[in-house]
Amino acid sequence: KGFLAGYSTKDDNIGNLKSTSYLEAMALVYSQCFSALKPGGLMILVVKPFIRDQKLVPLQEDTKHLCEQAGFAFLEEHHRILPSQSFWRVIYQKRYPLAPVIDREYVLVFKKVLS
């Protein structure tokens, strides 16, 4: 068990999908969240950018776009500076010292509005 206790390593776990497949799967999740919420309901997400090919990928921007496509109105964004790097980020930084550092996570607030 250990570090990954509770998380599936199977291919059907959305967190294990790559790039386009991940975004497509999350678009479906956000669409289902929209269906489940009452009008005026809030969806609050915490997301963190990631590194691909030693470049920062701003997942918060993709997430805003997907949620708006699902029908949500974007209300606000907050961020939190991360107090430390994860074990995996530290290892990556040692291997690729010029790669950007992920130093924050984002809290995104959306509202279900009906037009």
Side-chain angles (χ1 to χ4, degrees):
K1 300 202 178 197
F3 177 55
L4 294 176
Y7 291 96
S8 171
T9 57
K10 295 182 180 178
D11 291 341
D12 62 351
N13 177 347
I14 292 174
N16 295 330
L17 297 175
K18 302 293 181 200
S19 193
T20 304
S21 298
Y22 171 80
L23 294 177
E24 288 172 357
M26 291 310 298
L28 179 58
V29 169
Y30 300 141
S31 175
Q32 291 172 345
C33 289
F34 187 85
S35 295
L37 279 174
K38 293 179 181 179
L42 299 178
M43 178 173 70
I44 302 170
L45 305 173
V46 178
V47 298
K48 186 167 51 173
F50 61 93
I51 305 290
R52 182 188 304 132
D53 299 325
Q54 301 181 54
K55 293 186 175 98
L56 189 69
V57 177
L59 182 58
Q60 71 277 11
E61 298 304 324
D62 288 331
T63 301
K64 287 178 199 175
H65 181 71
L66 291 175
C67 290
E68 288 173 336
Q69 282 185 326
F72 285 100
F74 174 69
L75 294 182
E76 56 191 63
E77 173 183 304
H78 304 274
H79 71 269
R80 179 180 87 93
I81 302 296
L82 298 171
S84 62
Q85 296 290 300
S86 72
F87 171 77
W88 302 112
R89 294 270 42 101
V90 170
I91 297 297
Y92 190 88
Q93 198 67 41
K94 286 182 180 179
R95 187 171 180 193
Y96 302 105
L98 299 179
V101 173
I102 298 173
D103 63 351
R104 63 193 65 207
E105 63 186 6
Y106 295 84
V107 178
L108 307 176
V109 181
F110 300 91
K111 185 174 187 176
K112 179 176 180 176
V113 293
L114 299 176
S115 28

